[in-house]
Amino acid sequence: MKNLVLDVNVLLDLWLQRVPEKVLFFIAELIAKGENKNYWTWVSSSSLSTLEYIARRELKKGGMEGEQAKQATHALIADLLANVRLLTQFGFQQVMALQLSNDVEDAQIVMAASNLQGSTAIVTNEKRFQTGGEVAQLSLLEVNTWLRQDENRSVEFIDLKTQQDAIRPQLEHNIHRVLAHGQYIMGPEVQELEEVLAGYVGVKHCIAASSGTDTLLIALMALGIGSGDEVITTPFTFIATGEMIALAGAKPVFVDIDPLTYNIDPNLIEAAISSRTKAIMPVSLYGQCADFDAINLIAEKYNLPVIEDGAQSFGARYKGRRSCGLSTIGSTSFFPSKPLGCYGDGGALFTNDDALAKAMREIRVHGQDRRYHHPRIGINGRMDTIQAAVLLAKMKVFEEEVTARARIGARYSEFLRDVAVTPYIAPENRSVYAQYTVQVENRDEVQQRLKEFGVPTAAHYPVPLHLQLAFSCFGSSDGSCPVSEAASNKVMSLPMHPFLTEETMSTVVRSWREAII
Amino acid sequence: MQVEAIYHQGQIRFKRPVRFKYDDFSITVIVPEEAIAVYDEITELPASVSDAAHSMLDRIKNILGEHFHPRPEASIQQDREALFEALEEKYLR
């Protein structure tokens, strides 16, 4: 997405009708909120007082009474602010603003515009800004052409920059609220986030924590899993899943995956259950939920709890219900690249079980039930308040992003169906496409060629857990999970994020077609 | 003296280096007629203006009432003067 920052004179032209009618409509069109726009419209907060002074002065000159002119100007500014995004002036940038230009207000606009991540232009009747080339400046006549030009940005594997521009005003508001109240760990935003997330998932309890790795450990500890126990899980996942089982003192028992969904194959679980089995921990990989009805049925039969590792699937649906609300405990990660990611590490646990929720809350804070009273052993698993503040801002647009991810995933598959093994999404699932992962035979070569074309890729994951050296003590061997082993040699994830444009997708697909030859 | 220059994005750059005795002085620039843009060239307006844009103009009309009427184009200098007058009125009177 591109950014247009409107200069004072353009807004005055609109309010004071100083341009022909069609130009008035053009300016109004730039400001008015609308769908399918490929840009966001901003006004620098440093422009507001200038706008107010000039508009009031001109209205008074035109015969409007003083108080009426004041109120009318305020109403105009209020209406403007309801439609555009307001660019922040940071105190720490003002010295640089002074050095940049003789005109402090102009420099402030440039500095504020430079804070935006996407391509940015100041729309003005006078190209007087000293932008240093970082920010473009356009007359109204040039806007359409500039908006049509390609952004000429490199293909991003995950585009967090565009997302930041999309939520910047809310983000700044939330972060500054934390800076002001100073409760940096487990502050009020954490509780607010827990309420929002529990409501979103549709469960009674949400426990926000320090990471999506710690949440797995907390869940295992709350279930009392430890030395001598076994936990059934998938080998085709990030290390944290098996690692936390081992760290809790238990043995990860790896069960192979379904070749279509890459999730644990429920048909193989029962054979892996022993008298030492204490839980089943499926992973909802790449953003698609595992087959929870089948898994829960087996768990019920053997009276086992199920922990969903939904680190990649927050926002996904399984038979209409949301990931993390499908089993005894749901766990997710807010690592920055996740569908819902914060600006550091973060995670959350979900359950309808009151006793488990209480245990997990205590374990999160060193096993504490009240200050300095520790009925159980816990960990330092608290969430930083700033991460909660970031997530609250992101939750406001999350469902839109989930919809965009689903649309983009489906579109990719249309493009690639004839030249790649595209993701299979089971009919009962809505994937959030945390990764858009295809299969290719000669992965290393294709990855290298795509890199040369400027298309970043990743292999999730090149070595299944049962073949990792760290797990060799558990005695798994090559060939014990053949589907995972085969997949780990072929899977490749392509750029995926909710802001992927048709043009960028076309670039990726064109590069793919050339790379596989 | 005459010096050839290039205009780009609001800045004029001489094609050859020239050193000046002063920091500030006025110069005359010949701008080719064909390079001068006029609002009539905004021909790329959407065939129909969006409801949101219509509604924005309606709101401005409502706020300003009879004072929403065409005014002559204003230069940046004129806007600056209006700003200075307003500041003077607030702080000096």
Side-chain angles (χ1 to χ4, degrees):
Chain A
M1 290 285 261
K2 292 183 175 182
N3 297 297
L4 296 177
V5 180
L6 302 186
D7 191 12
V8 168
N9 47 49
V10 173
L11 295 164
L12 288 170
D13 284 350
L14 173 71
W15 290 350
L16 301 173
Q17 223 186 116
R18 304 191 307 199
V19 284
E21 192 180 33
K22 68 174 178 179
V23 183
L24 285 184
F25 276 113
F26 185 77
I27 301 170
E29 200 74 68
L30 291 181
I31 297 171
K33 282 181 179 167
E35 287 174 10
N36 303 322
K37 283 188 166 181
N38 69 338
Y39 61 90
W40 287 304
T41 308
W42 304 78
V43 169
S44 170
S45 50
S46 60
S47 300
L48 295 183
S49 59
T50 308
L51 264 176
E52 185 192 8
Y53 283 126
I54 301 178
R56 257 167 84 175
R57 183 77 198 158
E58 293 301 303
L59 290 172
K60 276 169 75 176
K61 263 191 202 165
M64 197 182 260
E65 188 269 323
E67 186 55 30
Q68 194 194 352
K70 181 182 166 186
Q71 283 178 14
T73 308
H74 280 197
L76 289 170
I77 293 176
D79 188 66
L80 177 72
L81 295 188
N83 284 277
V84 297
R85 290 148 184 265
L86 201 55
L87 269 175
T88 302
Q89 290 297 322
F90 290 108
F92 60 82
Q93 288 183 313
Q94 300 313 306
V95 173
M96 205 186 289
L98 266 174
Q99 290 164 350
L100 255 181
S101 165
N102 291 331
D103 189 317
V104 175
E105 187 195 336
D106 286 355
Q108 285 173 327
I109 294 172
V110 172
M111 297 287 304
S114 310
N115 290 335
L116 295 171
Q117 303 268 12
S119 301
T120 301
I122 299 169
V123 183
T124 177
N125 293 338
E126 186 193 50
K127 294 183 181 177
R128 63 189 188 277
F129 295 91
Q130 292 169 15
T131 64
E134 225 179 292
V135 172
Q137 44 189 327
L138 310 168
S139 70
L140 282 169
L141 299 165
E142 294 165 318
V143 169
N144 277 336
T145 308
W146 184 79
L147 287 173
R148 272 199 305 268
Q149 285 165 0
D150 283 343
E151 280 207 70
N152 212 11
R153 284 172 63 183
S154 54
V155 179
E156 306 266 359
F157 191 69
I158 290 162
D159 183 1
L160 295 176
K161 292 177 179 175
T162 302
Q163 187 196 48
Q164 192 179 98
D165 281 347
I167 59 169
R168 176 173 288 278
Q170 188 69 52
L171 200 56
E172 288 176 351
H173 181 243
N174 289 6
I175 289 174
H176 281 264
R177 201 169 58 173
V178 178
L179 290 179
H181 68 54
Q183 297 175 59
Y184 304 122
I185 295 176
M186 296 296 290
E189 284 76 9
V190 175
Q191 196 184 338
E192 189 184 337
L193 177 71
E194 288 179 341
E195 285 164 15
V196 169
L197 296 182
Y200 179 81
V201 171
V203 295
K204 273 172 79 177
H205 305 284
C206 168
I207 299 101
S210 46
S211 75
T213 298
D214 288 340
T215 49
L216 295 173
L217 183 60
I218 292 169
L220 290 161
M221 290 170 77
L223 290 166
I225 291 166
S227 180
D229 295 336
E230 290 179 358
V231 176
I232 290 171
T233 192
T234 163
F236 198 58
T237 177
F238 179 60
I239 185 81
T241 318
E243 186 184 33
M244 289 306 104
I245 295 168
L247 201 62
K251 176 186 175 184
V253 174
F254 297 115
V255 166
D256 211 358
I257 55 168
D258 177 279
L260 293 176
T261 65
Y262 305 108
N263 286 327
I264 194 167
D265 186 343
N267 298 315
L268 305 176
I269 291 176
E270 212 162 348
I273 293 174
S274 76
S275 57
R276 292 181 295 281
T277 306
K278 291 294 182 290
I280 305 170
M281 193 189 277
V283 176
S284 296
L285 201 72
Y286 301 151
Q288 173 172 215
C289 292
D291 186 355
F292 275 91
D293 278 359
I295 295 165
N296 287 335
L297 206 62
I298 299 163
E300 269 173 41
K301 184 175 167 187
Y302 291 91
N303 198 25
L304 295 170
V306 177
I307 305 166
E308 179 190 8
D309 182 349
Q312 298 184 5
S313 61
F314 192 77
R317 283 178 186 268
Y318 170 81
K319 297 187 177 175
R321 291 179 294 145
R322 285 210 166 96
S323 172
C324 294
L326 304 169
S327 59
T328 321
I329 297 172
S331 164
T332 195
S333 165
F334 302 128
F335 187 76
S337 60
K338 295 290 193 277
L340 180 64
C342 53
Y343 288 168
D345 267 316
L349 290 152
F350 300 86
T351 187
N352 283 316
D353 186 309
D354 296 344
L356 275 176
K358 181 175 184 294
M360 291 193 289
R361 282 188 197 286
E362 290 175 3
I363 292 165
R364 172 179 63 176
V365 192
H366 298 286
Q368 173 178 287
D369 64 351
R370 59 194 190 284
R371 202 161 197 200
Y372 303 135
H373 289 75
H374 305 266
R376 63 172 81 236
I377 295 295
I379 65 168
N380 177 3
R382 297 167 295 202
M383 176 178 262
D384 289 348
T385 314
I386 281 189
Q387 303 308 341
V390 170
L391 290 166
L392 282 168
K394 290 197 177 188
M395 273 306 285
K396 299 223 183 260
V397 295
F398 184 59
E399 203 49 29
E400 282 169 42
E401 292 188 355
V402 167
T403 305
R405 282 176 174 277
R407 176 179 49 77
I408 290 163
R411 193 85 177 108
Y412 249 145
S413 292
E414 273 175 45
F415 281 139
L416 290 167
R417 193 157 287 134
D418 60 325
V419 283
V421 180
T422 54
Y424 168 79
I425 307 301
E428 66 271 21
N429 274 325
R430 179 187 74 170
S431 175
V432 282
Y433 289 101
Q435 307 296 344
Y436 184 88
T437 305
V438 294
Q439 283 192 24
V440 62
E441 291 297 331
N442 48 338
R443 182 176 62 201
D444 291 351
E445 293 156 41
V446 174
Q447 269 195 299
Q448 182 54 37
R449 277 183 225 137
L450 285 170
K451 191 179 171 187
E452 286 160 18
F453 294 142
V455 176
T457 59
H460 297 111
Y461 296 92
V463 182
L465 297 196
H466 68 289
L467 300 183
Q468 294 281 1
L469 193 58
F471 293 114
S472 58
C473 56
F474 297 114
S476 295
S477 59
D478 207 346
S480 60
C481 294
V483 181
S484 300
E485 289 160 32
S488 66
N489 289 324
K490 296 177 187 173
V491 289
M492 187 198 298
S493 303
L494 300 177
M496 180 70 199
H497 54 80
F499 305 99
L500 210 54
T501 60
E502 282 283 311
E503 291 74 25
T504 309
M505 263 191 284
S506 299
T507 303
V508 173
V509 171
R510 202 170 45 245
S511 304
W512 173 268
R513 286 177 185 273
E514 286 184 39
I516 57 169
I517 293 168
Chain B
M1 70 179 284
Q2 285 192 7
V3 187
E4 214 180 332
I6 303 285
Y7 170 84
H8 176 69
Q9 289 266 309
Q11 292 183 334
I12 290 174
R13 190 164 44 81
F14 295 133
K15 285 179 97 172
R16 66 177 180 83
V18 186
R19 294 173 66 183
F20 298 116
K21 286 185 190 171
Y22 315 110
D23 285 340
D24 298 295
F25 54 91
S26 55
I27 57 170
T28 304
V29 180
I30 301 166
V31 180
E33 285 298 328
E34 69 272 14
I36 298 171
V38 288
Y39 279 134
D40 285 348
E41 286 173 16
I42 296 190
T43 53
E44 295 186 54
L45 283 173
S48 62
V49 179
S50 73
D51 288 347
H54 267 296
S55 142
M56 163 158 287
L57 277 176
D58 286 344
R59 290 195 304 275
I60 294 172
K61 277 177 202 164
N62 276 341
I63 291 167
L64 296 179
E66 58 177 344
H67 294 275
F68 188 64
H69 55 74
R71 291 176 173 80
E73 277 187 34
S75 68
I76 300 295
Q77 192 51 39
Q78 284 169 306
D79 279 345
R80 276 198 191 114
E81 280 160 17
L83 174 65
F84 294 148
E85 283 171 20
L87 289 171
E88 216 173 81
E89 188 179 309
K90 180 171 180 181
Y91 293 109
L92 299 179
R93 285 179 197 167

mmCIF file of all heavy atoms in Angstrom, chain A residues 354-386:
data_model
loop_
_atom_site.group_PDB
_atom_site.id
_atom_site.type_symbol
_atom_site.label_atom_id
_atom_site.label_comp_id
_atom_site.label_asym_id
_atom_site.label_seq_id
_atom_site.Cartn_x
_atom_site.Cartn_y
_atom_site.Cartn_z
ATOM 1 N N ASP A 354 -11.753 -24.798 34.315
ATOM 2 C CA ASP A 354 -11.416 -23.789 35.336
ATOM 3 C C ASP A 354 -10.145 -24.159 36.104
ATOM 4 O O ASP A 354 -9.301 -23.305 36.371
ATOM 5 C CB ASP A 354 -12.576 -23.628 36.326
ATOM 6 C CG ASP A 354 -13.826 -23.081 35.658
ATOM 7 O OD1 ASP A 354 -13.709 -22.553 34.530
ATOM 8 O OD2 ASP A 354 -14.917 -23.192 36.250
ATOM 9 N N ALA A 355 -10.030 -25.435 36.474
ATOM 10 C CA ALA A 355 -8.887 -25.866 37.289
ATOM 11 C C ALA A 355 -7.583 -25.749 36.478
ATOM 12 O O ALA A 355 -6.558 -25.289 36.997
ATOM 13 C CB ALA A 355 -9.090 -27.307 37.757
ATOM 14 N N LEU A 356 -7.659 -26.155 35.221
ATOM 15 C CA LEU A 356 -6.460 -26.043 34.367
ATOM 16 C C LEU A 356 -6.081 -24.576 34.145
ATOM 17 O O LEU A 356 -4.900 -24.221 34.166
ATOM 18 C CB LEU A 356 -6.706 -26.711 33.010
ATOM 19 C CG LEU A 356 -6.468 -28.209 32.930
ATOM 20 C CD1 LEU A 356 -6.854 -28.728 31.546
ATOM 21 C CD2 LEU A 356 -5.000 -28.547 33.212
ATOM 22 N N ALA A 357 -7.092 -23.751 33.973
ATOM 23 C CA ALA A 357 -6.828 -22.319 33.771
ATOM 24 C C ALA A 357 -6.116 -21.751 34.997
ATOM 25 O O ALA A 357 -5.135 -21.003 34.868
ATOM 26 C CB ALA A 357 -8.135 -21.577 33.510
ATOM 27 N N LYS A 358 -6.591 -22.120 36.179
ATOM 28 C CA LYS A 358 -5.976 -21.620 37.424
ATOM 29 C C LYS A 358 -4.520 -22.104 37.502
ATOM 30 O O LYS A 358 -3.607 -21.315 37.799
ATOM 31 C CB LYS A 358 -6.781 -22.125 38.621
ATOM 32 C CG LYS A 358 -6.262 -21.645 39.964
ATOM 33 C CD LYS A 358 -7.204 -22.089 41.102
ATOM 34 C CE LYS A 358 -6.772 -21.537 42.453
ATOM 35 N NZ LYS A 358 -5.497 -22.065 42.923
ATOM 36 N N ALA A 359 -4.329 -23.378 37.213
ATOM 37 C CA ALA A 359 -2.968 -23.939 37.276
ATOM 38 C C ALA A 359 -2.055 -23.221 36.280
ATOM 39 O O ALA A 359 -0.918 -22.855 36.613
ATOM 40 C CB ALA A 359 -3.025 -25.435 36.982
ATOM 41 N N MET A 360 -2.545 -23.001 35.067
ATOM 42 C CA MET A 360 -1.692 -22.376 34.041
ATOM 43 C C MET A 360 -1.385 -20.920 34.388
ATOM 44 O O MET A 360 -0.281 -20.447 34.155
ATOM 45 C CB MET A 360 -2.366 -22.485 32.665
ATOM 46 C CG MET A 360 -2.412 -23.938 32.167
ATOM 47 S SD MET A 360 -2.836 -24.136 30.426
ATOM 48 C CE MET A 360 -4.556 -23.700 30.408
ATOM 49 N N ARG A 361 -2.363 -20.235 35.003
ATOM 50 C CA ARG A 361 -2.105 -18.854 35.437
ATOM 51 C C ARG A 361 -1.006 -18.825 36.499
ATOM 52 O O ARG A 361 -0.149 -17.930 36.508
ATOM 53 C CB ARG A 361 -3.375 -18.225 36.015
ATOM 54 C CG ARG A 361 -4.349 -17.785 34.964
ATOM 55 C CD ARG A 361 -5.508 -16.979 35.541
ATOM 56 N NE ARG A 361 -6.595 -16.929 34.581
ATOM 57 C CZ ARG A 361 -6.574 -16.178 33.472
ATOM 58 N NH1 ARG A 361 -5.533 -15.412 33.227
ATOM 59 N NH2 ARG A 361 -7.576 -16.207 32.630
ATOM 60 N N GLU A 362 -1.063 -19.799 37.406
ATOM 61 C CA GLU A 362 -0.052 -19.844 38.474
ATOM 62 C C GLU A 362 1.326 -20.199 37.907
ATOM 63 O O GLU A 362 2.325 -19.573 38.258
ATOM 64 C CB GLU A 362 -0.471 -20.858 39.544
ATOM 65 C CG GLU A 362 -1.681 -20.378 40.349
ATOM 66 C CD GLU A 362 -2.200 -21.419 41.334
ATOM 67 O OE1 GLU A 362 -1.599 -22.506 41.450
ATOM 68 O OE2 GLU A 362 -3.217 -21.130 41.977
ATOM 69 N N ILE A 363 1.363 -21.204 37.052
ATOM 70 C CA ILE A 363 2.659 -21.651 36.498
ATOM 71 C C ILE A 363 3.307 -20.509 35.707
ATOM 72 O O ILE A 363 4.526 -20.332 35.729
ATOM 73 C CB ILE A 363 2.463 -22.902 35.609
ATOM 74 C CG1 ILE A 363 2.048 -24.082 36.498
ATOM 75 C CG2 ILE A 363 3.729 -23.237 34.832
ATOM 76 C CD1 ILE A 363 1.485 -25.262 35.740
ATOM 77 N N ARG A 364 2.474 -19.732 35.029
ATOM 78 C CA ARG A 364 2.997 -18.594 34.253
ATOM 79 C C ARG A 364 3.814 -17.631 35.121
ATOM 80 O O ARG A 364 4.768 -17.012 34.668
ATOM 81 C CB ARG A 364 1.816 -17.845 33.619
ATOM 82 C CG ARG A 364 2.189 -16.559 32.962
ATOM 83 C CD ARG A 364 0.991 -15.885 32.351
ATOM 84 N NE ARG A 364 -0.024 -15.498 33.339
ATOM 85 C CZ ARG A 364 -1.123 -14.816 33.041
ATOM 86 N NH1 ARG A 364 -1.359 -14.471 31.799
ATOM 87 N NH2 ARG A 364 -1.999 -14.495 33.971
ATOM 88 N N VAL A 365 3.426 -17.513 36.385
ATOM 89 C CA VAL A 365 4.103 -16.572 37.296
ATOM 90 C C VAL A 365 4.770 -17.366 38.420
ATOM 91 O O VAL A 365 4.356 -17.271 39.590
ATOM 92 C CB VAL A 365 3.113 -15.526 37.869
ATOM 93 C CG1 VAL A 365 3.876 -14.401 38.556
ATOM 94 C CG2 VAL A 365 2.233 -14.974 36.783
ATOM 95 N N HIS A 366 5.756 -18.151 38.067
ATOM 96 C CA HIS A 366 6.557 -18.870 39.070
ATOM 97 C C HIS A 366 5.719 -19.711 40.027
ATOM 98 O O HIS A 366 6.067 -19.842 41.211
ATOM 99 C CB HIS A 366 7.417 -17.876 39.875
ATOM 100 C CG HIS A 366 8.389 -17.130 39.023
ATOM 101 N ND1 HIS A 366 9.535 -17.695 38.507
ATOM 102 C CD2 HIS A 366 8.368 -15.844 38.565
ATOM 103 C CE1 HIS A 366 10.189 -16.797 37.786
ATOM 104 N NE2 HIS A 366 9.491 -15.677 37.784
ATOM 105 N N GLY A 367 4.595 -20.206 39.581
ATOM 106 C CA GLY A 367 3.763 -21.055 40.426
ATOM 107 C C GLY A 367 3.087 -20.295 41.557
ATOM 108 O O GLY A 367 2.663 -20.894 42.557
ATOM 109 N N GLN A 368 2.942 -19.008 41.367
ATOM 110 C CA GLN A 368 2.425 -18.133 42.443
ATOM 111 C C GLN A 368 0.902 -18.032 42.400
ATOM 112 O O GLN A 368 0.331 -17.823 41.331
ATOM 113 C CB GLN A 368 3.067 -16.760 42.212
ATOM 114 C CG GLN A 368 2.590 -15.655 43.074
ATOM 115 C CD GLN A 368 3.352 -14.370 42.763
ATOM 116 O OE1 GLN A 368 4.520 -14.226 43.120
ATOM 117 N NE2 GLN A 368 2.704 -13.441 42.085
ATOM 118 N N ASP A 369 0.232 -18.201 43.562
ATOM 119 C CA ASP A 369 -1.222 -17.981 43.570
ATOM 120 C C ASP A 369 -1.574 -16.611 44.134
ATOM 121 O O ASP A 369 -2.640 -16.071 43.857
ATOM 122 C CB ASP A 369 -1.971 -19.110 44.317
ATOM 123 C CG ASP A 369 -1.641 -19.184 45.788
ATOM 124 O OD1 ASP A 369 -0.704 -18.486 46.234
ATOM 125 O OD2 ASP A 369 -2.318 -19.961 46.505
ATOM 126 N N ARG A 370 -0.712 -16.065 44.959
ATOM 127 C CA ARG A 370 -0.780 -14.665 45.360
ATOM 128 C C ARG A 370 0.652 -14.232 45.612
ATOM 129 O O ARG A 370 1.549 -15.072 45.650
ATOM 130 C CB ARG A 370 -1.683 -14.465 46.579
ATOM 131 C CG ARG A 370 -1.268 -15.233 47.815
ATOM 132 C CD ARG A 370 -2.411 -15.216 48.823
ATOM 133 N NE ARG A 370 -2.005 -15.730 50.113
ATOM 134 C CZ ARG A 370 -1.818 -17.017 50.414
ATOM 135 N NH1 ARG A 370 -1.988 -17.957 49.476
ATOM 136 N NH2 ARG A 370 -1.455 -17.379 51.620
ATOM 137 N N ARG A 371 0.850 -12.934 45.762
ATOM 138 C CA ARG A 371 2.223 -12.423 45.762
ATOM 139 C C ARG A 371 3.123 -13.144 46.770
ATOM 140 O O ARG A 371 2.805 -13.183 47.971
ATOM 141 C CB ARG A 371 2.216 -10.930 46.048
ATOM 142 C CG ARG A 371 3.479 -10.293 45.535
ATOM 143 C CD ARG A 371 3.334 -8.815 45.371
ATOM 144 N NE ARG A 371 4.410 -8.344 44.502
ATOM 145 C CZ ARG A 371 4.808 -7.092 44.464
ATOM 146 N NH1 ARG A 371 4.198 -6.195 45.196
ATOM 147 N NH2 ARG A 371 5.801 -6.734 43.672
ATOM 148 N N TYR A 372 4.216 -13.716 46.247
ATOM 149 C CA TYR A 372 5.254 -14.398 47.018
ATOM 150 C C TYR A 372 4.760 -15.655 47.726
ATOM 151 O O TYR A 372 5.374 -16.123 48.678
ATOM 152 C CB TYR A 372 5.930 -13.436 48.016
ATOM 153 C CG TYR A 372 6.518 -12.220 47.320
ATOM 154 C CD1 TYR A 372 6.328 -10.944 47.835
ATOM 155 C CD2 TYR A 372 7.239 -12.358 46.146
ATOM 156 C CE1 TYR A 372 6.838 -9.828 47.196
ATOM 157 C CE2 TYR A 372 7.757 -11.247 45.482
ATOM 158 C CZ TYR A 372 7.556 -9.986 46.010
ATOM 159 O OH TYR A 372 8.060 -8.891 45.359
ATOM 160 N N HIS A 373 3.664 -16.227 47.285
ATOM 161 C CA HIS A 373 3.178 -17.512 47.779
ATOM 162 C C HIS A 373 3.132 -18.471 46.586
ATOM 163 O O HIS A 373 2.443 -18.186 45.606
ATOM 164 C CB HIS A 373 1.789 -17.388 48.414
ATOM 165 C CG HIS A 373 1.828 -16.651 49.719
ATOM 166 N ND1 HIS A 373 1.991 -15.279 49.784
ATOM 167 C CD2 HIS A 373 1.753 -17.098 50.999
ATOM 168 C CE1 HIS A 373 2.005 -14.912 51.045
ATOM 169 N NE2 HIS A 373 1.868 -15.987 51.815
ATOM 170 N N HIS A 374 3.881 -19.577 46.713
ATOM 171 C CA HIS A 374 4.099 -20.450 45.558
ATOM 172 C C HIS A 374 3.691 -21.898 45.865
ATOM 173 O O HIS A 374 4.513 -22.680 46.327
ATOM 174 C CB HIS A 374 5.578 -20.406 45.142
ATOM 175 C CG HIS A 374 6.067 -19.005 44.873
ATOM 176 N ND1 HIS A 374 6.080 -18.441 43.627
ATOM 177 C CD2 HIS A 374 6.514 -18.040 45.736
ATOM 178 C CE1 HIS A 374 6.532 -17.203 43.709
ATOM 179 N NE2 HIS A 374 6.800 -16.930 44.981
ATOM 180 N N PRO A 375 2.450 -22.236 45.639
ATOM 181 C CA PRO A 375 2.028 -23.609 45.914
ATOM 182 C C PRO A 375 2.591 -24.628 44.924
ATOM 183 O O PRO A 375 2.492 -25.829 45.160
ATOM 184 C CB PRO A 375 0.506 -23.538 45.829
ATOM 185 C CG PRO A 375 0.224 -22.356 44.965
ATOM 186 C CD PRO A 375 1.326 -21.391 45.209
ATOM 187 N N ARG A 376 3.127 -24.189 43.815
ATOM 188 C CA ARG A 376 3.657 -25.123 42.814
ATOM 189 C C ARG A 376 4.875 -24.500 42.137
ATOM 190 O O ARG A 376 5.121 -23.309 42.261
ATOM 191 C CB ARG A 376 2.589 -25.445 41.776
ATOM 192 C CG ARG A 376 2.156 -24.228 40.986
ATOM 193 C CD ARG A 376 1.241 -24.581 39.841
ATOM 194 N NE ARG A 376 -0.138 -24.776 40.253
ATOM 195 C CZ ARG A 376 -0.841 -25.877 40.021
ATOM 196 N NH1 ARG A 376 -0.275 -26.897 39.386
ATOM 197 N NH2 ARG A 376 -2.096 -25.965 40.382
ATOM 198 N N ILE A 377 5.601 -25.348 41.421
ATOM 199 C CA ILE A 377 6.734 -24.860 40.632
ATOM 200 C C ILE A 377 6.189 -24.282 39.327
ATOM 201 O O ILE A 377 5.321 -24.880 38.691
ATOM 202 C CB ILE A 377 7.718 -26.007 40.317
ATOM 203 C CG1 ILE A 377 8.358 -26.529 41.602
ATOM 204 C CG2 ILE A 377 8.799 -25.573 39.310
ATOM 205 C CD1 ILE A 377 9.245 -25.532 42.324
ATOM 206 N N GLY A 378 6.703 -23.137 38.961
ATOM 207 C CA GLY A 378 6.266 -22.528 37.706
ATOM 208 C C GLY A 378 7.455 -22.005 36.919
ATOM 209 O O GLY A 378 8.592 -22.411 37.155
ATOM 210 N N ILE A 379 7.179 -21.115 36.014
ATOM 211 C CA ILE A 379 8.255 -20.527 35.201
ATOM 212 C C ILE A 379 8.047 -19.017 35.124
ATOM 213 O O ILE A 379 7.016 -18.506 35.579
ATOM 214 C CB ILE A 379 8.289 -21.114 33.767
ATOM 215 C CG1 ILE A 379 7.008 -20.734 32.988
ATOM 216 C CG2 ILE A 379 8.482 -22.615 33.800
ATOM 217 C CD1 ILE A 379 7.107 -21.031 31.503
ATOM 218 N N ASN A 380 9.007 -18.340 34.529
ATOM 219 C CA ASN A 380 8.822 -16.914 34.249
ATOM 220 C C ASN A 380 8.184 -16.816 32.865
ATOM 221 O O ASN A 380 8.872 -16.712 31.853
ATOM 222 C CB ASN A 380 10.184 -16.206 34.276
ATOM 223 C CG ASN A 380 10.061 -14.736 33.932
ATOM 224 O OD1 ASN A 380 8.954 -14.236 33.732
ATOM 225 N ND2 ASN A 380 11.176 -14.047 33.845
ATOM 226 N N GLY A 381 6.881 -16.911 32.835
ATOM 227 C CA GLY A 381 6.182 -16.991 31.542
ATOM 228 C C GLY A 381 5.233 -15.845 31.304
ATOM 229 O O GLY A 381 4.288 -15.961 30.522
ATOM 230 N N ARG A 382 5.488 -14.702 31.969
ATOM 231 C CA ARG A 382 4.553 -13.578 31.844
ATOM 232 C C ARG A 382 4.724 -12.849 30.515
ATOM 233 O O ARG A 382 5.801 -12.856 29.919
ATOM 234 C CB ARG A 382 4.799 -12.587 32.998
ATOM 235 C CG ARG A 382 4.532 -13.191 34.359
ATOM 236 C CD ARG A 382 5.067 -12.326 35.458
ATOM 237 N NE ARG A 382 6.519 -12.237 35.392
ATOM 238 C CZ ARG A 382 7.287 -11.914 36.422
ATOM 239 N NH1 ARG A 382 6.738 -11.659 37.596
ATOM 240 N NH2 ARG A 382 8.591 -11.829 36.289
ATOM 241 N N MET A 383 3.646 -12.208 30.106
ATOM 242 C CA MET A 383 3.691 -11.451 28.844
ATOM 243 C C MET A 383 4.069 -9.991 29.109
ATOM 244 O O MET A 383 3.581 -9.389 30.072
ATOM 245 C CB MET A 383 2.330 -11.496 28.145
ATOM 246 C CG MET A 383 2.285 -10.654 26.875
ATOM 247 S SD MET A 383 0.714 -10.756 26.016
ATOM 248 C CE MET A 383 1.091 -11.982 24.773
ATOM 249 N N ASP A 384 4.917 -9.429 28.258
ATOM 250 C CA ASP A 384 5.220 -7.991 28.326
ATOM 251 C C ASP A 384 3.973 -7.216 27.908
ATOM 252 O O ASP A 384 3.336 -7.556 26.906
ATOM 253 C CB ASP A 384 6.344 -7.629 27.341
ATOM 254 C CG ASP A 384 7.682 -8.175 27.786
ATOM 255 O OD1 ASP A 384 7.790 -8.616 28.942
ATOM 256 O OD2 ASP A 384 8.605 -8.158 26.963
ATOM 257 N N THR A 385 3.697 -6.136 28.618
ATOM 258 C CA THR A 385 2.471 -5.375 28.335
ATOM 259 C C THR A 385 2.507 -4.758 26.933
ATOM 260 O O THR A 385 1.477 -4.671 26.258
ATOM 261 C CB THR A 385 2.279 -4.279 29.392
ATOM 262 O OG1 THR A 385 2.513 -4.855 30.672
ATOM 263 C CG2 THR A 385 0.884 -3.706 29.349
ATOM 264 N N ILE A 386 3.691 -4.342 26.506
ATOM 265 C CA ILE A 386 3.775 -3.719 25.172
ATOM 266 C C ILE A 386 3.373 -4.721 24.085
ATOM 267 O O ILE A 386 2.744 -4.351 23.095
ATOM 268 C CB ILE A 386 5.184 -3.131 24.934
ATOM 269 C CG1 ILE A 386 5.263 -1.789 25.673
ATOM 270 C CG2 ILE A 386 5.483 -2.956 23.443
ATOM 271 C CD1 ILE A 386 6.467 -0.951 25.402
#
